[in-house]
Every structure is written in structure tokens, then in C-alpha cells.
Amino acid sequence: MFNLTKIVNGRINVPEPEYLPTTPSEVYAEGEALVLSSGKLTKASGTTKPTHIAMKSYTAPATDNKDLPVARIDKNMVFEAPVTYSGTPVAVVLGTKLTLATDGCGVTDVTTSGVATVVDTLNANKNAGDKVLVIFE
């Protein structure tokens, strides 16, 4: 789960929610990284740079789905995110860009075509449960 920790130089650390259309039959998790695709929200993962973060969990039905409250990502937002390590864990280094986890709720230790820049490693050390602070530039 991407958890907003602060907005740099922001007066208020709570983004104003936007309500955007959801993709039929998609399951959304609070704190999940999202993008708009064909005018509807969908999960961002891998090398897809997210544009929004889900502000609540929601399971969209096949029809008559509701709009989802989301926070639009801005470059001055710092998010805490869990790290999913690969089979051969790689140390997380300050300033590197990491890819998104497949569930859209965190980052991986993979740096090839990464989209989340590490601004604080929080002493992440290749262990399950490690978290880092990232921004999306």
C-alpha cells in the first residue's frame, strides 16, 4: 500500500479526492497505484508510472460500477511503500528508480525502467516487510 507521508512544501498533507470511473469487475485496494486507461482506472504495475492512488478499497461489479475516490499524484508527494524483493534480493539504493509490484501496492528491488524514485531507504535491508519512501517524478 502506498501511504502518503508528506507533501513537500504543502500546507495540508491530505490531498483532495477526485472521483473517477472504475473498470468493470476490477478489485481495487486502498493505497493501490492506478492509471487511467480508456477513461477508467486500472492497476499500475511494473514500469507503468501511476497517476493516482486509491483512497479506498472497492470491488467493481460487471455493470453499474461506482466512481472511486483517488488522490492525483503530484511530484511533491512522498509515499511510504513496501518492497517486494526478487529471487536474488538487491539492496535498495537512495536515488534509484524502482519498478512497481505486480499488485500495484508497493515497489520491487528491480531498477530497470523504474518509475518510483527512492528518497529514503528507511534502512531497507533485503528483508520481508522492508519499506522505503518514494516519489513519482
Side-chain angles (χ1 to χ4, degrees), residues 95-111:
T96 57
K97 290 188 175 197
L98 305 175
T99 60
L100 299 181
T102 56
D103 65 1
C105 291
V107 294
T108 71
D109 61 346
V110 177
T111 58

Side-chain angles (χ1 to χ4, degrees), residues 23-87:
T23 300
S25 303
E26 186 159 336
V27 177
Y28 299 90
E30 182 177 357
E32 181 179 348
L34 304 169
V35 293
L36 283 169
S37 177
S38 300
K40 297 184 185 326
L41 292 167
T42 192
K43 180 187 317 289
S45 64
T47 60
T48 302
K49 183 179 173 183
T51 55
H52 298 83
I53 299 291
M55 296 179 84
K56 72 179 264 187
S57 297
Y58 174 63
T59 300
T63 60
D64 298 325
N65 39 337
K66 298 179 183 175
D67 289 350
L68 183 70
V70 295
R72 182 179 297 273
I73 295 175
D74 198 323
K75 62 184 175 183
N76 66 344
M77 293 176 156
V78 179
F79 295 92
E80 179 185 68
V83 181
T84 301
Y85 291 98
S86 56

